[in-house]
Amino acid sequence: MTRQTYTNSQLIEQMQESWGQQFEQLNISEKIWLLSYVIGHMAADESEVYKPMEIDDCVSMAGERMSELSFYQQIDLAKALINQIENNYLHG
């Protein structure tokens, strides 16, 4: 799957028409909500790339401690994880 494959979605095109190419017309709360919805959808069911039984207890415990991170630390963590997921999925 390439970046072009997933950007040629009718839904993505409609969202960009409504909110701009980079979704700049969404406010920060809408962007955070939409991001959490996307991630929630990705983790809703076991799939080829998401296997809940592979999650180690220490990862689960770290997830429970997210309130210890500042907003900017959470953004950096999200970026790092998304980059790793994308690299593993596209090149793995």
Side-chain angles (χ1 to χ4, degrees):
M1 180 177 212
T2 65
R3 187 174 296 272
Q4 184 174 0
T5 301
Y6 59 77
T7 57
N8 288 339
S9 159
Q10 187 176 28
L11 173 59
I12 298 292
E13 289 175 8
Q14 291 170 345
M15 292 168 68
Q16 289 175 323
E17 285 174 16
S18 296
W19 305 314
Q21 287 295 95
Q22 300 295 314
F23 311 107
E24 63 273 6
Q25 294 175 20
L26 293 172
N27 67 45
I28 189 75
S29 295
E30 292 168 329
K31 291 173 186 173
I32 291 170
W33 182 89
L34 193 55
L35 179 60
S36 73
Y37 197 89
V38 169
I39 298 299
H41 184 75
M42 292 169 65
D45 296 309
E46 185 168 337
S47 68
E48 176 184 322
V49 293
Y50 175 67
K51 297 169 180 50
M53 299 305 291
E54 293 181 355
I55 298 171
D56 191 276
D57 288 341
C58 66
V59 174
S60 181
M61 286 188 281
E64 294 173 10
R65 296 179 60 194
M66 287 299 112
S67 63
E68 296 176 26
L69 300 178
S70 73
F71 180 77
Y72 296 105
Q73 288 171 321
Q74 291 176 36
I75 289 173
D76 288 342
L77 176 59
K79 284 182 197 176
L81 292 171
I82 289 169
N83 285 333
Q84 286 295 308
I85 292 166
E86 183 177 43
N87 287 335
N88 289 345
Y89 188 68
L90 295 178
H91 307 293

Coordinates of all heavy atoms in Angstrom, one line a residue:
M1 N 0.8 -1.2 0.0 CA 0.0 0.0 0.0 C 0.9 1.2 0.0 O 1.8 1.3 0.8 CB -0.9 0.0 1.2 CG -1.8 1.1 1.4 SD -2.8 0.8 2.8 CE -4.3 1.6 2.3
T2 N 0.6 2.1 -0.9 CA 1.4 3.4 -0.9 C 0.6 4.5 -0.4 O -0.6 4.4 -0.3 CB 1.8 3.7 -2.4 OG1 0.6 3.9 -3.1 CG2 2.6 2.5 -3.0
R3 N 1.2 5.6 -0.2 CA 0.5 6.8 0.3 C -0.5 7.2 -0.7 O -1.6 7.6 -0.3 CB 1.5 8.0 0.5 CG 0.9 9.2 1.2 CD 2.0 10.2 1.5 NE 2.9 9.8 2.5 CZ 2.8 9.9 3.8 NH1 1.7 10.4 4.3 NH2 3.7 9.5 4.6
Q4 N -0.3 7.1 -2.0 CA -1.2 7.5 -3.0 C -2.5 6.6 -2.9 O -3.6 7.1 -3.1 CB -0.6 7.4 -4.4 CG -1.6 7.8 -5.5 CD -0.9 7.8 -6.9 OE1 0.2 7.5 -7.0 NE2 -1.7 8.2 -7.8
T5 N -2.3 5.3 -2.6 CA -3.4 4.4 -2.5 C -4.4 4.9 -1.5 O -5.6 4.9 -1.7 CB -3.0 3.0 -2.1 OG1 -2.1 2.6 -3.2 CG2 -4.1 2.0 -2.1
Y6 N -3.9 5.3 -0.3 CA -4.9 5.7 0.7 C -5.3 7.1 0.7 O -6.2 7.5 1.4 CB -4.5 5.2 2.1 CG -3.2 5.7 2.7 CD1 -3.1 7.0 3.2 CD2 -2.1 4.9 2.8 CE1 -1.9 7.4 3.8 CE2 -0.9 5.3 3.3 CZ -0.8 6.5 3.8 OH 0.4 7.0 4.4
T7 N -4.7 7.9 -0.1 CA -5.2 9.3 -0.3 C -6.2 9.4 -1.4 O -6.9 10.5 -1.5 CB -4.1 10.3 -0.5 OG1 -3.4 9.9 -1.7 CG2 -3.1 10.4 0.7
N8 N -6.4 8.4 -2.2 CA -7.4 8.5 -3.3 C -8.7 7.9 -2.8 O -9.5 7.3 -3.5 CB -6.9 7.7 -4.5 CG -5.8 8.4 -5.2 OD1 -5.7 9.7 -5.1 ND2 -5.0 7.7 -6.0
S9 N -9.1 8.2 -1.6 CA -10.3 7.7 -1.0 C -11.4 8.8 -1.2 O -11.1 10.0 -1.0 CB -10.1 7.4 0.5 OG -11.4 7.5 1.2
Q10 N -12.6 8.4 -1.5 CA -13.7 9.4 -1.6 C -13.9 10.1 -0.3 O -14.2 11.3 -0.3 CB -15.0 8.7 -2.1 CG -16.1 9.6 -2.4 CD -17.3 8.9 -3.0 OE1 -17.5 7.7 -2.7 NE2 -18.0 9.6 -3.8
L11 N -13.9 9.4 0.8 CA -14.0 10.0 2.1 C -13.0 11.1 2.4 O -13.3 12.2 2.8 CB -14.0 9.0 3.2 CG -14.1 9.5 4.7 CD1 -15.3 10.4 4.9 CD2 -14.0 8.4 5.7
I12 N -11.7 10.7 2.1 CA -10.6 11.7 2.3 C -10.8 12.9 1.4 O -10.7 14.1 1.9 CB -9.2 11.1 2.0 CG1 -9.0 9.9 3.0 CG2 -8.1 12.1 2.0 CD1 -8.7 10.3 4.4
E13 N -11.2 12.7 0.2 CA -11.5 13.8 -0.7 C -12.6 14.7 -0.2 O -12.5 15.9 -0.2 CB -11.8 13.3 -2.1 CG -10.6 12.7 -2.9 CD -11.0 12.1 -4.2 OE1 -12.2 12.2 -4.7 OE2 -10.2 11.4 -4.8
Q14 N -13.7 14.1 0.3 CA -14.8 14.9 0.8 C -14.3 15.7 2.1 O -14.7 16.8 2.3 CB -16.0 14.0 1.2 CG -16.6 13.4 -0.1 CD -17.6 12.3 0.3 OE1 -17.7 11.8 1.4 NE2 -18.5 12.0 -0.7
M15 N -13.5 15.0 2.9 CA -13.1 15.7 4.1 C -12.2 16.9 3.8 O -12.3 18.0 4.4 CB -12.3 14.7 5.0 CG -13.2 13.6 5.6 SD -12.3 12.3 6.3 CE -11.5 13.1 7.7
Q16 N -11.3 16.7 2.8 CA -10.4 17.8 2.3 C -11.2 18.9 1.7 O -10.9 20.1 1.9 CB -9.4 17.3 1.4 CG -8.3 16.4 2.1 CD -7.3 15.8 1.1 OE1 -7.7 15.4 0.0 NE2 -6.1 15.7 1.6
E17 N -12.3 18.6 1.0 CA -13.1 19.6 0.4 C -13.8 20.5 1.5 O -13.9 21.7 1.4 CB -14.2 19.0 -0.5 CG -13.7 18.6 -1.8 CD -14.7 17.8 -2.7 OE1 -15.9 17.9 -2.4 OE2 -14.3 17.1 -3.6
S18 N -14.2 19.8 2.6 CA -14.8 20.5 3.7 C -13.9 21.2 4.6 O -14.2 22.3 5.1 CB -15.6 19.4 4.5 OG -16.6 18.8 3.8
W19 N -12.7 20.6 4.9 CA -11.9 21.2 5.9 C -10.5 21.6 5.5 O -9.6 21.9 6.3 CB -11.7 20.2 7.1 CG -13.1 19.7 7.6 CD1 -14.1 20.6 7.9 CD2 -13.5 18.4 7.9 NE1 -15.2 19.8 8.4 CE2 -14.8 18.5 8.4 CE3 -12.9 17.2 7.8 CZ2 -15.6 17.4 8.7 CZ3 -13.7 16.1 8.1 CH2 -15.0 16.2 8.6
G20 N -10.2 21.5 4.2 CA -8.9 21.9 3.6 C -8.0 20.7 3.4 O -8.2 19.6 4.0
Q21 N -7.0 20.9 2.5 CA -6.1 19.8 2.2 C -5.4 19.1 3.4 O -5.1 17.9 3.4 CB -5.0 20.3 1.2 CG -5.5 20.5 -0.2 CD -6.0 19.3 -0.9 OE1 -7.2 18.9 -0.9 NE2 -5.1 18.6 -1.5
Q22 N -5.0 19.9 4.4 CA -4.4 19.4 5.6 C -5.3 19.5 6.8 O -4.9 19.5 7.9 CB -3.1 20.3 5.8 CG -2.1 20.2 4.7 CD -1.5 18.8 4.5 OE1 -1.2 18.1 5.5 NE2 -1.4 18.4 3.3
F23 N -6.6 19.6 6.5 CA -7.6 19.6 7.6 C -7.5 20.9 8.5 O -7.9 20.9 9.6 CB -7.7 18.3 8.4 CG -7.7 17.1 7.5 CD1 -6.6 16.3 7.3 CD2 -8.9 16.8 6.7 CE1 -6.6 15.2 6.5 CE2 -8.9 15.7 5.9 CZ -7.8 14.9 5.8
E24 N -6.9 21.9 7.9 CA -6.6 23.1 8.7 C -7.9 23.9 9.1 O -7.8 24.7 10.1 CB -5.7 24.1 7.8 CG -6.3 24.6 6.6 CD -6.1 23.7 5.3 OE1 -5.6 22.6 5.5 OE2 -6.5 24.1 4.2
Q25 N -9.0 23.6 8.6 CA -10.2 24.3 9.0 C -10.9 23.6 10.2 O -11.8 24.2 10.8 CB -11.2 24.4 7.8 CG -10.7 25.3 6.7 CD -11.6 25.3 5.5 OE1 -12.7 25.0 5.6 NE2 -11.0 25.7 4.4
L26 N -10.4 22.5 10.6 CA -10.9 21.9 11.9 C -10.2 22.6 13.0 O -9.0 22.9 13.0 CB -10.5 20.4 11.9 CG -11.2 19.5 10.9 CD1 -10.6 18.1 11.0 CD2 -12.7 19.4 11.1
N27 N -10.9 22.7 14.1 CA -10.3 23.3 15.3 C -9.5 22.2 16.0 O -9.6 21.0 15.7 CB -11.3 24.0 16.2 CG -12.3 23.1 16.9 OD1 -11.9 22.0 17.4 ND2 -13.5 23.5 16.9
I28 N -8.7 22.5 17.0 CA -7.8 21.5 17.6 C -8.6 20.4 18.3 O -8.2 19.2 18.2 CB -6.8 22.2 18.6 CG1 -5.8 21.2 19.2 CG2 -7.6 22.8 19.8 CD1 -4.7 20.9 18.2
S29 N -9.7 20.7 18.9 CA -10.6 19.7 19.6 C -11.1 18.7 18.5 O -11.2 17.5 18.8 CB -11.7 20.4 20.3 OG -11.2 21.1 21.4
E30 N -11.5 19.3 17.4 CA -12.0 18.4 16.3 C -10.9 17.5 15.8 O -11.2 16.3 15.5 CB -12.6 19.2 15.2 CG -13.9 19.9 15.6 CD -14.3 21.0 14.6 OE1 -13.5 21.6 13.9 OE2 -15.6 21.2 14.5
K31 N -9.7 18.0 15.6 CA -8.6 17.2 15.1 C -8.3 16.1 16.1 O -8.0 14.9 15.7 CB -7.4 18.1 14.9 CG -7.6 19.0 13.7 CD -6.4 20.0 13.6 CE -6.7 21.0 12.5 NZ -5.7 22.1 12.5
I32 N -8.2 16.4 17.4 CA -7.9 15.4 18.4 C -9.0 14.3 18.4 O -8.7 13.1 18.5 CB -7.7 16.1 19.8 CG1 -6.5 16.9 19.8 CG2 -7.7 15.0 20.9 CD1 -6.3 17.8 21.0
W33 N -10.3 14.8 18.4 CA -11.4 13.8 18.4 C -11.3 12.9 17.2 O -11.4 11.7 17.3 CB -12.7 14.6 18.4 CG -13.9 13.6 18.5 CD1 -14.4 13.1 19.6 CD2 -14.6 13.0 17.4 NE1 -15.4 12.2 19.3 CE2 -15.5 12.1 17.9 CE3 -14.4 13.1 16.0 CZ2 -16.4 11.4 17.1 CZ3 -15.3 12.4 15.2 CH2 -16.3 11.5 15.8
L34 N -11.1 13.5 16.0 CA -11.0 12.7 14.8 C -9.9 11.7 14.8 O -10.0 10.5 14.5 CB -11.0 13.6 13.6 CG -11.2 12.9 12.2 CD1 -12.5 12.2 12.2 CD2 -11.2 14.0 11.1
L35 N -8.7 12.2 15.3 CA -7.6 11.3 15.4 C -7.9 10.1 16.4 O -7.6 8.9 16.1 CB -6.3 12.0 15.9 CG -5.1 11.2 16.1 CD1 -4.6 10.6 14.8 CD2 -4.0 12.1 16.7
S36 N -8.5 10.4 17.5 CA -8.8 9.3 18.5 C -9.8 8.4 17.8 O -9.8 7.1 18.1 CB -9.3 9.9 19.8 OG -10.6 10.4 19.7
Y37 N -10.7 8.9 17.0 CA -11.7 8.0 16.4 C -11.1 7.1 15.4 O -11.4 5.9 15.3 CB -12.8 8.9 15.7 CG -14.0 8.1 15.3 CD1 -15.1 8.0 16.3 CD2 -14.2 7.5 14.1 CE1 -16.2 7.2 16.0 CE2 -15.3 6.7 13.8 CZ -16.3 6.6 14.7 OH -17.4 5.9 14.4
V38 N -10.1 7.7 14.6 CA -9.4 6.9 13.6 C -8.6 5.7 14.3 O -8.7 4.6 13.9 CB -8.4 7.7 12.8 CG1 -7.5 6.9 12.0 CG2 -9.2 8.7 11.9
I39 N -7.9 6.1 15.4 CA -7.1 5.1 16.1 C -8.0 4.1 16.7 O -7.7 2.9 16.7 CB -6.2 5.8 17.2 CG1 -5.2 6.8 16.5 CG2 -5.5 4.8 18.0 CD1 -4.2 6.1 15.5
G40 N -9.1 4.5 17.3 CA -10.1 3.6 17.9 C -10.6 2.6 16.9 O -10.8 1.4 17.1
H41 N -10.9 3.1 15.7 CA -11.4 2.3 14.6 C -10.3 1.2 14.2 O -10.6 0.1 14.0 CB -11.8 3.1 13.4 CG -12.3 2.3 12.3 ND1 -13.6 1.8 12.3 CD2 -11.8 1.9 11.1 CE1 -13.8 1.1 11.2 NE2 -12.7 1.1 10.4
M42 N -9.0 1.7 14.1 CA -7.9 0.7 13.8 C -7.8 -0.4 14.8 O -7.4 -1.5 14.5 CB -6.6 1.5 13.7 CG -6.6 2.5 12.5 SD -5.1 3.6 12.6 CE -3.8 2.5 12.4
A43 N -8.1 -0.1 16.1 CA -7.9 -1.0 17.2 C -9.2 -1.7 17.6 O -9.3 -2.4 18.6 CB -7.3 -0.3 18.4
A44 N -10.3 -1.5 16.9 CA -11.6 -2.0 17.3 C -11.7 -3.5 17.1 O -12.3 -4.2 18.0 CB -12.7 -1.4 16.5
D45 N -11.1 -4.1 16.1 CA -11.1 -5.5 15.9 C -9.7 -6.0 15.5 O -8.9 -5.3 15.0 CB -12.1 -5.8 14.7 CG -13.5 -5.4 15.0 OD1 -14.0 -5.8 16.0 OD2 -14.1 -4.7 14.1
E46 N -9.5 -7.3 15.8 CA -8.3 -7.9 15.4 C -8.3 -7.9 13.9 O -9.3 -8.1 13.2 CB -8.2 -9.4 16.0 CG -6.9 -10.0 15.7 CD -6.7 -11.3 16.4 OE1 -7.4 -11.5 17.5 OE2 -5.9 -12.1 16.0
S47 N -7.1 -7.7 13.4 CA -6.9 -7.7 11.9 C -5.5 -8.2 11.6 O -4.8 -8.6 12.4 CB -7.1 -6.2 11.4 OG -6.0 -5.4 11.8
E48 N -5.2 -8.1 10.3 CA -3.9 -8.6 9.8 C -2.8 -7.8 10.5 O -1.7 -8.4 10.8 CB -3.8 -8.4 8.3 CG -2.5 -8.7 7.7 CD -2.5 -8.3 6.2 OE1 -3.5 -8.6 5.5 OE2 -1.5 -7.8 5.7
V49 N -3.0 -6.5 10.8 CA -2.0 -5.7 11.4 C -2.2 -5.4 12.9 O -1.2 -5.0 13.6 CB -1.8 -4.4 10.7 CG1 -1.3 -4.6 9.3 CG2 -3.1 -3.6 10.6
Y50 N -3.3 -5.7 13.4 CA -3.6 -5.4 14.9 C -4.0 -6.7 15.5 O -5.1 -7.3 15.2 CB -4.7 -4.3 15.1 CG -5.0 -4.1 16.5 CD1 -4.1 -3.6 17.4 CD2 -6.3 -4.5 17.0 CE1 -4.4 -3.4 18.7 CE2 -6.6 -4.3 18.3 CZ -5.7 -3.8 19.2 OH -6.0 -3.6 20.5
K51 N -3.2 -7.2 16.5 CA -3.5 -8.4 17.2 C -3.4 -8.1 18.7 O -2.4 -8.0 19.3 CB -2.5 -9.5 16.8 CG -2.6 -9.9 15.3 CD -1.4 -10.7 14.9 CE -1.5 -11.1 13.5 NZ -1.8 -10.1 12.5
P52 N -4.6 -7.9 19.3 CA -4.6 -7.5 20.7 C -3.9 -8.4 21.7 O -3.3 -8.0 22.7 CB -6.1 -7.4 21.1 CG -6.8 -7.6 19.8 CD -5.9 -8.0 18.8
M53 N -3.8 -9.7 21.3 CA -3.1 -10.7 22.2 C -1.6 -10.5 22.2 O -0.9 -11.0 23.0 CB -3.5 -12.1 21.7 CG -5.0 -12.4 21.8 SD -5.7 -12.1 23.5 CE -4.9 -13.4 24.4
E54 N -1.1 -9.7 21.3 CA 0.3 -9.4 21.2 C 0.8 -8.2 22.1 O 1.9 -7.9 22.1 CB 0.8 -9.2 19.8 CG 0.6 -10.4 18.9 CD 1.1 -10.1 17.5 OE1 1.4 -9.0 17.1 OE2 1.1 -11.1 16.7
I55 N -0.2 -7.6 22.8 CA 0.2 -6.4 23.6 C 0.7 -6.9 25.0 O 0.0 -7.5 25.7 CB -1.1 -5.5 23.8 CG1 -1.5 -5.0 22.4 CG2 -0.7 -4.3 24.7 CD1 -2.8 -4.3 22.4
D56 N 1.9 -6.5 25.3 CA 2.6 -6.9 26.5 C 2.0 -6.0 27.7 O 1.5 -4.9 27.5 CB 4.1 -6.6 26.4 CG 4.9 -7.2 27.5 OD1 4.9 -6.5 28.6 OD2 5.4 -8.3 27.4
D57 N 2.0 -6.6 28.8 CA 1.4 -5.9 30.0 C 2.1 -4.6 30.3 O 1.5 -3.6 30.7 CB 1.5 -6.8 31.3 CG 0.5 -8.0 31.2 OD1 -0.4 -7.9 30.5 OD2 0.8 -8.9 32.0
C58 N 3.4 -4.5 30.1 CA 4.1 -3.3 30.3 C 3.7 -2.2 29.4 O 3.6 -1.0 29.7 CB 5.6 -3.4 30.3 SG 6.3 -3.9 28.7
V59 N 3.3 -2.5 28.2 CA 2.8 -1.5 27.2 C 1.4 -1.0 27.7 O 1.1 0.2 27.7 CB 2.7 -2.1 25.8 CG1 2.0 -1.2 24.8 CG2 4.1 -2.5 25.3
S60 N 0.6 -2.0 28.2 CA -0.7 -1.6 28.7 C -0.6 -0.7 29.9 O -1.3 0.3 30.0 CB -1.5 -2.9 29.1 OG -2.8 -2.6 29.6
M61 N 0.4 -1.0 30.8 CA 0.6 -0.1 32.0 C 1.0 1.3 31.6 O 0.6 2.3 32.2 CB 1.6 -0.8 32.9 CG 1.0 -2.0 33.7 SD 2.0 -2.6 35.0 CE 3.2 -3.6 34.0
A62 N 1.9 1.3 30.5 CA 2.3 2.6 30.0 C 1.2 3.4 29.5 O 1.1 4.7 29.8 CB 3.4 2.5 29.0
G63 N 0.2 2.8 28.8 CA -0.9 3.5 28.3 C -1.8 4.1 29.4 O -2.4 5.1 29.3
E64 N -1.8 3.4 30.6 CA -2.6 3.9 31.7 C -1.9 5.1 32.4 O -2.5 5.8 33.2 CB -2.8 2.8 32.7 CG -3.7 1.7 32.2 CD -3.7 0.5 33.1 OE1 -3.3 0.5 34.3 OE2 -4.3 -0.6 32.7
R65 N -0.7 5.4 32.0 CA 0.0 6.5 32.6 C 0.2 7.7 31.7 O 0.9 8.6 32.0 CB 1.4 6.0 33.0 CG 1.4 4.9 34.1 CD 2.8 4.4 34.4 NE 3.6 5.5 35.0 CZ 4.9 5.4 35.1 NH1 5.6 4.3 34.8 NH2 5.6 6.5 35.6
M66 N -0.6 7.8 30.6 CA -0.5 8.9 29.7 C -0.7 10.3 30.3 O -0.2 11.3 29.9 CB -1.5 8.7 28.5 CG -1.1 7.6 27.5 SD 0.5 8.0 26.7 CE 1.5 6.6 27.4
S67 N -1.5 10.3 31.4 CA -1.8 11.6 32.1 C -0.5 12.2 32.7 O -0.5 13.4 33.0 CB -2.8 11.4 33.2 OG -2.4 10.6 34.2
E68 N 0.6 11.4 32.8 CA 1.8 11.9 33.3 C 2.6 12.7 32.2 O 3.5 13.5 32.6 CB 2.7 10.8 33.7 CG 2.2 10.0 34.9 CD 3.0 8.8 35.3 OE1 4.3 8.8 35.0 OE2 2.5 7.8 35.8
L69 N 2.2 12.6 31.0 CA 2.9 13.3 29.9 C 2.2 14.7 29.6 O 0.9 14.8 29.7 CB 2.8 12.5 28.6 CG 3.5 11.1 28.7 CD1 3.4 10.4 27.3 CD2 5.0 11.3 29.1
S70 N 2.9 15.7 29.3 CA 2.3 16.9 28.9 C 1.7 16.7 27.5 O 1.9 15.8 26.8 CB 3.4 18.0 28.7 OG 4.2 17.8 27.6
F71 N 0.9 17.7 27.1 CA 0.2 17.7 25.8 C 1.2 17.5 24.7 O 1.1 16.7 23.8 CB -0.6 19.0 25.6 CG -1.4 19.0 24.3 CD1 -2.5 18.3 24.1 CD2 -0.9 19.8 23.3 CE1 -3.2 18.3 22.9 CE2 -1.5 19.9 22.1 CZ -2.7 19.1 21.9
Y72 N 2.3 18.3 24.7 CA 3.3 18.2 23.7 C 4.1 16.9 23.7 O 4.5 16.4 22.6 CB 4.3 19.4 23.8 CG 3.6 20.7 23.6 CD1 3.2 21.6 24.7 CD2 3.1 21.1 22.3 CE1 2.5 22.7 24.4 CE2 2.4 22.2 22.1 CZ 2.1 23.1 23.2 OH 1.4 24.2 23.0
Q73 N 4.3 16.3 24.9 CA 4.9 15.0 24.9 C 4.0 14.0 24.3 O 4.5 13.0 23.6 CB 5.3 14.6 26.4 CG 6.4 15.4 26.9 CD 6.6 15.2 28.4 OE1 5.6 15.1 29.2 NE2 7.8 15.1 28.9
Q74 N 2.7 14.1 24.5 CA 1.8 13.2 23.9 C 1.8 13.3 22.4 O 1.7 12.3 21.7 CB 0.4 13.4 24.5 CG 0.2 13.0 26.0 CD -1.1 13.4 26.5 OE1 -2.2 13.3 25.9 NE2 -1.2 13.8 27.8
I75 N 1.8 14.5 21.9 CA 1.9 14.7 20.5 C 3.2 14.1 19.9 O 3.1 13.4 18.9 CB 1.9 16.2 20.1 CG1 0.5 16.8 20.4 CG2 2.3 16.5 18.7 CD1 0.5 18.3 20.2
D76 N 4.3 14.3 20.6 CA 5.6 13.7 20.1 C 5.5 12.1 20.1 O 5.9 11.5 19.2 CB 6.8 14.1 20.9 CG 7.1 15.6 20.7 OD1 6.8 16.1 19.6 OD2 7.8 16.2 21.5
L77 N 4.9 11.6 21.2 CA 4.7 10.1 21.2 C 3.8 9.6 20.1 O 4.1 8.6 19.5 CB 4.2 9.8 22.6 CG 3.8 8.3 22.8 CD1 5.1 7.4 22.7 CD2 3.2 8.1 24.2
A78 N 2.7 10.3 19.9 CA 1.8 9.9 18.8 C 2.5 10.0 17.5 O 2.4 9.0 16.7 CB 0.6 10.8 18.8
K79 N 3.3 11.0 17.2 CA 4.0 11.1 15.9 C 5.0 10.0 15.8 O 5.1 9.3 14.7 CB 4.8 12.4 15.9 CG 4.0 13.6 15.6 CD 4.9 14.8 15.5 CE 4.3 16.2 15.6 NZ 5.3 17.3 15.6
A80 N 5.7 9.7 16.8 CA 6.7 8.6 16.8 C 6.1 7.3 16.5 O 6.5 6.5 15.7 CB 7.5 8.6 18.1
L81 N 5.0 7.0 17.2 CA 4.3 5.7 17.0 C 3.6 5.6 15.6 O 3.7 4.6 15.0 CB 3.2 5.6 18.1 CG 3.7 5.4 19.5 CD1 2.6 5.4 20.5 CD2 4.5 4.1 19.6
I82 N 3.0 6.7 15.1 CA 2.4 6.7 13.8 C 3.5 6.5 12.8 O 3.3 5.7 11.8 CB 1.6 8.0 13.5 CG1 0.3 8.0 14.4 CG2 1.3 8.2 12.1 CD1 -0.4 9.3 14.4
N83 N 4.7 7.1 12.9 CA 5.8 6.9 11.9 C 6.2 5.5 11.9 O 6.5 4.9 10.9 CB 6.9 7.9 12.3 CG 6.6 9.3 11.8 OD1 5.9 9.6 10.9 ND2 7.3 10.2 12.5
Q84 N 6.4 4.9 13.1 CA 6.8 3.5 13.2 C 5.7 2.6 12.6 O 6.1 1.6 11.9 CB 7.0 3.1 14.6 CG 8.3 3.6 15.2 CD 9.5 3.1 14.5 OE1 9.7 1.9 14.3 NE2 10.4 4.0 14.0
I85 N 4.5 2.8 12.9 CA 3.4 2.0 12.3 C 3.4 2.1 10.8 O 3.3 1.1 10.1 CB 2.0 2.4 12.8 CG1 1.9 2.0 14.3 CG2 0.9 1.7 12.0 CD1 0.7 2.7 15.0
E86 N 3.5 3.3 10.3 CA 3.6 3.5 8.8 C 4.8 2.8 8.2 O 4.6 2.1 7.2 CB 3.6 5.0 8.5 CG 3.5 5.3 7.0 CD 3.5 6.8 6.7 OE1 4.2 7.5 7.3 OE2 2.7 7.1 5.8
N87 N 5.9 3.0 8.8 CA 7.1 2.3 8.2 C 7.0 0.8 8.3 O 7.4 0.1 7.3 CB 8.4 2.8 9.0 CG 8.8 4.2 8.7 OD1 8.5 4.7 7.6 ND2 9.4 4.9 9.6
N88 N 6.5 0.3 9.4 CA 6.4 -1.2 9.5 C 5.3 -1.7 8.5 O 5.5 -2.7 7.9 CB 6.0 -1.6 10.9 CG 7.1 -1.4 11.9 OD1 8.2 -1.2 11.5 ND2 6.7 -1.5 13.1
Y89 N 4.2 -1.0 8.3 CA 3.2 -1.4 7.5 C 3.5 -1.3 6.0 O 3.3 -2.2 5.2 CB 1.9 -0.6 7.7 CG 0.7 -1.2 7.0 CD1 0.1 -2.4 7.4 CD2 0.1 -0.4 6.0 CE1 -1.0 -2.9 6.7 CE2 -1.0 -0.9 5.3 CZ -1.5 -2.2 5.7 OH -2.6 -2.7 5.0
L90 N 4.2 -0.2 5.6 CA 4.5 0.0 4.2 C 5.8 -0.8 3.8 O 5.9 -1.2 2.6 CB 4.7 1.5 3.9 CG 3.5 2.3 4.1 CD1 3.9 3.8 3.8 CD2 2.4 1.9 3.2
H91 N 6.7 -1.0 4.7 CA 8.0 -1.6 4.4 C 8.3 -2.9 5.1 O 9.3 -3.5 4.9 CB 9.1 -0.6 4.7 CG 8.9 0.7 4.1 ND1 8.9 1.0 2.7 CD2 8.7 1.9 4.6 CE1 8.7 2.2 2.5 NE2 8.5 2.9 3.6
G92 N 7.4 -3.3 5.9 CA 7.6 -4.5 6.7 C 7.2 -5.7 6.0 O 7.5 -6.8 6.0

